[in-house]
Amino acid sequence: MIFLVRYDRRKATLVDFLTYADEQRQEAERARLDCELAQLREPGGEFEIILLEADSEQDVRHTHRRYFETLEELLRPVPERAEASHP
């Protein structure tokens, strides 16, 4: 799977999170380019725009946690994060 992430650095928030099948690579790359071009037209925009590949959304959320969690969540000790993810 391919994931398009657009993250607002100033606000520390996820703006877009889109999913594409592996065979939609060209569509995902075009969407990334469109986001980058739009950013050039937005004054003061400070975004990270990336494509990630992973087997699942859960894998992306684990390996790139900073896009999905608050600073407070990221700083929690590991055992608390494990307990919170398994109610």
Side-chain angles (χ1 to χ4, degrees):
M1 298 181 79
I2 302 167
F3 302 92
L4 171 66
V5 174
R6 188 164 68 119
Y7 182 80
D8 186 324
R9 290 182 186 147
R10 289 186 179 178
K11 295 178 183 175
T13 58
L14 184 65
V15 177
D16 289 312
F17 182 72
L18 305 172
T19 304
Y20 298 88
D22 290 334
E23 54 274 2
Q24 294 177 296
R25 174 168 297 286
Q26 281 188 313
E27 184 179 339
E29 290 175 354
R30 180 62 190 189
R32 180 192 52 81
L33 179 60
D34 289 344
C35 286
E36 289 178 356
L37 291 173
Q39 177 175 311
L40 294 174
R41 294 186 295 270
E42 294 177 25
E46 204 172 310
F47 298 95
E48 289 182 39
I49 303 165
I50 60 170
L51 288 179
L52 300 169
E53 289 186 61
D55 290 334
S56 70
E57 181 178 328
Q58 183 178 358
D59 289 344
V60 170
R61 288 183 178 273
H62 177 73
T63 59
H64 292 77
R65 291 180 26 233
R66 73 182 197 92
Y67 295 122
F68 305 98
E69 297 180 18
T70 65
L71 182 58
E72 181 180 283
E73 291 169 328
L74 289 169
L75 294 175
R76 267 191 298 189
V78 174
E80 286 183 35
R81 284 198 311 263
E83 289 171 12
S85 67
H86 300 288

